[in-house]
Amino acid sequence: MPDEVCPPNYLFTKTQDWFSFNIDRWRGLFPRIATPSPRVLEIGSWEGRSAVFLLTELCKDGGEIVCIDHFDLMSTAAGRERHRKLTHNLALTGRPSRVLAQFSVPALMALLTEEMGAARPGYDWVYVDGSHEADDTLLDGELAWRLARKGAVVIFDDYHWDKEPEESMHHPKRGIDAFLALHRGEYELLSAETESQVVIQKTAEMRIGFLVAGEESKEGLEGALGYRVNVVLTIDAGYAIAAAVAIRSAAMHTRGGITFYVANTGLPEDVMYKLRQSLPEGVDATIVFVDLSPSEHRSALPPGPTWDKIAMIPRLPVERVLYLDADVLVRSDLRELWDTDLQGKPIAAAVDVGFPAGHTEGPSASYFNAGVLLMDLAAIRARLGELNDIASAMKGAKMQDQDALNVHFDGKWVPLSLRWNAQGLGTYAAHRTPEREALAMDEMEDPKIVHFTGALHPTMAAVINPFVQPYTGKPWGYAGAPGHPFAEEWWEVCEQTAWHGWRASGEFRELKEKKMEEAAQVGLAVFKDKSADASS
C-alpha cells in the first residue's frame, strides 16, 4: 500500500515497500474470487503491506487472513519489531487476522492439520513470498497448494529476483518452475513469463493428502490413502468415440483419483491423443493404454476384439478393476460401485435384462450381463487357464464372451443393482416377461450407469422387427437409439469430448448413409435367399 494513501497510524518502513507496484495487477484478479468472504493465506508478511491491502480491499465485505512469518523466532530485535508492526497494522484494519510466528513448513503443517476438521476447509487467495531458496519455495508452494481451494488464486513472488542468478538454488525461480511442472494441468496460468510474479488459478479439487490420528473420517481416509478407482475398457478405433464418452462421464462423476486402462490391439496415435484430451479439466484422472497385441496368452483365445475382455486379465497392472463396455454412460460416482463387497467371489455383475435366466444356446441358470463387471483379478488369474479353455470351446456361442464368462463364474458372482447396468431402456426392457417380472426393473428409472445394448449398426431385420420396437441401437450408430431416454444425454457428453461436432459433421452423415446401405444390401440378400429356398 503506497505510503501516500496509508492512514498515518500504519507503521510501514518507507524504504521497504516491495509491494505497492502490484496493486493494480491484484485488483484485476479480484473478480476471479467467487466467494464474498475469501480466506487469505500469506507466506512471508514482513510488516504487512500486502496483508493490509488484501484485508481492506479483497476482504472488505468479509473474510480473513492468516499471515506466516518467522520473525527470526523473536530472537532478534529486528524480528520482534517486524512482528510488532505487523500485528499493529493488521489490528487497524478491524478485520479478522491471525499471525503464525513460525517458519513456513511447521506453520503450514499446523494449518493442514486444522483444516482436516474444518466444515469448509481451504483458502481462496494464497501469496507465497517467504524464503528465496529454490527448495524452500517449492516446499512452500506444495504445502500451500494442498490448502488452496479449487478456484483459488495463487501468487508466487520474486520470479525475476535480481539478487542471485535465476538458475541458482538460492533463487526462487527454480522452485517455482518445478512446482509449475509438477502440477501442470491443475491450474490456469494468468501471468506472462516476463512478469515479476507468477499468478495461477487452481482448477483441481483441493486435496490435503494425509491424515493425523483422530482425523480419519472414511472420506478423508480414502483421499489420504490415495487409493484410486481402476477402470478398464477394451476397444478398437471404431469404438473410440464411445470410449471417450464413457471415460469422460465416469471422470466427471467420480470423486478422488481414477485411472482408466484402455486395452487395445493397436490404436492410432491420434485416437489415443483425442481420448486423453477428452478427460475433464481439474479432475484426478489418467489414461493408460494397455497393448493386447498377439501373445502366448492371446493365442489361446478366439480371435477378435470381443474376447479382449478375457485377454486383458493377465495384462493389467492391478489386482482389482471395474470393467466397462465402451457403450455406457456413467451418471453417478463409481466409487460407490468400486467399494462393493465381493464376499469372496471373483466378480460382481448385474443380471442380463434381455436373458435373465439365460438363453437356449447358453447357460440356463441366472445369467449376468458382462457390460459392467467388478473384478477381483487376483482370484480370476488363479483359474485363468480354465477360463481360457471354456472361451476356446465356446467361440461359436450366441453371446460369445458373455456366455463363456457365465459358464465359468456360474454361482460365483455377486448380483449388482440394475442401476449399475441399465439395459434395454426405451426398447425391450419395457416388454414384460415372467423372468423380467422377477427383476427390480424400477431400479433402472434413475440409472447410475446406462448401457446402450444392441448392435452398433443393426441389421435391417432388427430395425423393422415389429415385435421389438423401438429397436435397439446406439446413439452414434447409423440407426441411432430411437426412444432411448438417455440418448440425448449421451450426445451432450460427446460434445464435451475431443469429438465435439461429430454429430453434425459431414463425415458422420456419410458414415450413416454407408452403413444404412450396407444393412439394406445384406437384408435384401437374406430376403432373396430365404425366398429362393421357400420356392425351390
Side-chain angles (χ1 to χ4, degrees):
M1 181 173 290
D3 296 317
E4 60 271 18
V5 298
C6 283
N9 292 333
Y10 282 117
L11 300 177
F12 293 129
T13 302
K14 290 185 177 181
T15 59
Q16 296 179 350
D17 183 0
W18 303 300
F19 165 72
S20 296
F21 59 89
N22 295 308
I23 284 178
D24 289 341
R25 177 76 168 96
W26 282 27
R27 281 182 179 140
L29 297 169
F30 288 172
R32 290 180 171 268
I33 305 301
T35 176
S37 299
R39 300 184 73 205
V40 177
L41 173 61
E42 182 177 80
I43 303 169
S45 295
W46 203 252
E47 297 173 346
R49 284 182 186 270
S50 53
V52 167
F53 169 74
L54 290 169
L55 282 176
T56 56
E57 297 214 15
L58 179 62
C59 302
K60 63 181 179 181
D61 297 321
E64 61 181 325
I65 192 169
V66 174
C67 297
I68 298 174
D69 205 308
H70 59 67
F71 304 105
D72 303 338
L73 297 182
M74 302 297 184
S75 63
T76 65
R80 292 190 293 271
E81 179 63 6
R82 290 198 303 275
H83 182 268
R84 182 185 73 84
K85 288 183 176 181
L86 174 64
T87 54
H88 169 86
N89 293 334
L90 293 176
L92 285 182
T93 69
R95 291 170 176 82
S97 63
R98 178 183 176 193
V99 177
L100 299 181
Q102 305 177 54
F103 277 84
S104 57
V105 170
L108 289 167
M109 291 296 293
L111 290 178
L112 284 163
T113 302
E114 290 177 11
E115 293 300 301
M116 291 175 194
R120 187 170 181 267
Y123 292 83
D124 305 289
W125 186 284
V126 178
Y127 182 33
V128 181
D129 185 25
S131 169
H132 288 87
E133 296 293 309
D135 51 356
D136 291 345
T137 304
L138 173 60
L139 189 54
D140 285 349
E142 180 57 35
L143 294 178
W145 191 247
R146 294 169 183 247
L147 287 162
R149 293 170 175 163
K150 184 177 182 178
V153 170
V154 179
I155 302 175
F156 290 89
D157 200 25
D158 295 320
Y159 191 60
H160 295 298
W161 191 50
D162 59 4
K163 292 190 178 180
E164 291 287 344
E166 290 188 354
E167 68 277 8
S168 168
M169 277 294 293
H170 306 298
H171 193 289
K173 185 177 186 298
R174 283 181 64 178
I176 297 169
D177 287 343
F179 174 89
L180 295 176
L182 178 62
H183 290 283
R184 186 175 296 116
E186 297 181 359
Y187 59 83
E188 178 186 359
L189 182 62
L190 304 178
S191 57
E193 168 71 23
T194 55
E195 294 185 56
S196 63
Q197 294 184 329
V198 172
V199 184
I200 59 177
Q201 185 164 28
K202 188 173 183 178
T203 57
E205 296 291 341
M206 178 181 169
R207 184 186 75 89
I208 289 178
F210 69 94
L211 289 172
V212 295
E215 299 291 343
E216 59 274 22
S217 67
K218 183 178 185 298
E219 186 171 339
L221 185 59
E222 287 176 352
L225 293 175
Y227 294 156
R228 303 174 69 81
V229 173
N230 303 317
V231 175
V232 62
L233 302 89
T234 59
I235 67 167
D236 56 19
Y239 265 74
I241 295 177
V245 172
I247 288 170
R248 185 176 182 89
S249 61
M252 287 165 54
H253 290 100
T254 302
R255 72 184 187 278
I258 182 169
T259 298
F260 296 95
Y261 296 95
V262 179
N264 66 95
T265 54
L267 288 176
E269 287 292 335
D270 64 316
V271 169
M272 291 191 287
Y273 173 78
K274 291 177 78 171
L275 285 171
R276 290 192 182 98
Q277 292 300 110
S278 295
L279 286 172
E281 292 185 1
V283 301
D284 184 9
T286 55
I287 296 179
V288 177
F289 293 96
V290 179
D291 186 7
L292 298 182
S293 296
S295 63
E296 179 179 350
H297 169 68
R298 186 66 182 82
S299 63
L301 295 170
T306 299
W307 299 93
D308 285 347
K309 193 180 304 179
I310 298 174
M312 73 180 188
I313 292 171
R315 305 292 288 271
L316 295 175
V318 292
E319 295 192 337
R320 183 181 175 99
V321 76
L322 174 61
Y323 170 83
L324 298 179
D325 272 358
D327 55 358
V328 301
L329 174 69
V330 179
R331 306 178 67 246
S332 190
D333 189 346
L334 291 181
R335 193 166 288 276
E336 180 186 350
L337 174 56
W338 177 255
D339 289 338
T340 298
D341 182 3
L342 287 176
Q343 304 169 28
K345 298 181 178 179
I347 66 168
V351 68
D352 189 277
V353 174
F355 303 102
H359 55 86
T360 56
E361 298 178 28
S364 58
S366 182
Y367 184 80
F368 61 79
N369 181 278
V372 177
L373 298 173
L374 183 61
M375 310 175 76
D376 178 351
L377 294 179
I380 295 170
R381 287 163 181 160
R383 298 180 57 202
L384 185 57
E386 297 174 32
L387 177 56
N388 288 341
D389 291 342
I390 291 171
S392 181
M394 297 184 68
K395 60 184 177 182
K398 177 178 180 178
M399 305 302 288
Q400 297 183 297
D401 63 320
Q402 182 166 287
D403 283 348
L405 291 167
N406 269 276
V407 168
H408 183 67
F409 294 115
D410 184 26
K412 298 186 285 294
W413 55 281
V414 174
L416 292 175
S417 165
L418 286 172
R419 291 187 182 93
W420 291 113
N421 189 352
Q423 314 145 49
L425 295 177
T427 177
Y428 61 82
H431 300 276
R432 298 296 171 154
T433 65
E435 292 85 359
R436 286 179 195 144
E437 290 294 341
L439 304 180
M441 300 293 284
D442 61 320
E443 292 178 346
M444 298 198 296
E445 291 176 1
D446 185 20
K448 297 182 177 183
I449 297 179
V450 175
H451 187 182
F452 294 94
T453 48
L456 173 57
H457 301 299
T459 64
M460 186 170 71
V463 171
I464 64 177
N465 180 3
F467 301 106
V468 183
Q469 291 295 328
Y471 54 82
T472 58
K474 305 185 194 301
W476 63 100
Y478 85 84
H484 200 295
F486 296 98
E488 285 303 314
E489 188 173 322
W490 186 94
W491 279 114
E492 289 172 6
V493 177
C494 185
E495 280 301 305
Q496 301 169 35
T497 73
W499 279 270
H500 57 85
W502 172 251
R503 188 181 196 180
S505 69
E507 185 179 357
F508 182 46
R509 184 168 56 253
E510 291 174 4
L511 176 64
K512 289 193 295 181
E513 292 172 354
K514 175 185 176 184
K515 293 299 181 180
M516 184 182 299
E517 181 61 27
E518 289 176 358
Q521 290 177 1
V522 171
L524 182 58
V526 171
F527 171 76
K528 288 180 176 179
D529 288 345
K530 288 187 177 293
S531 297
D533 291 342
S535 61
S536 61

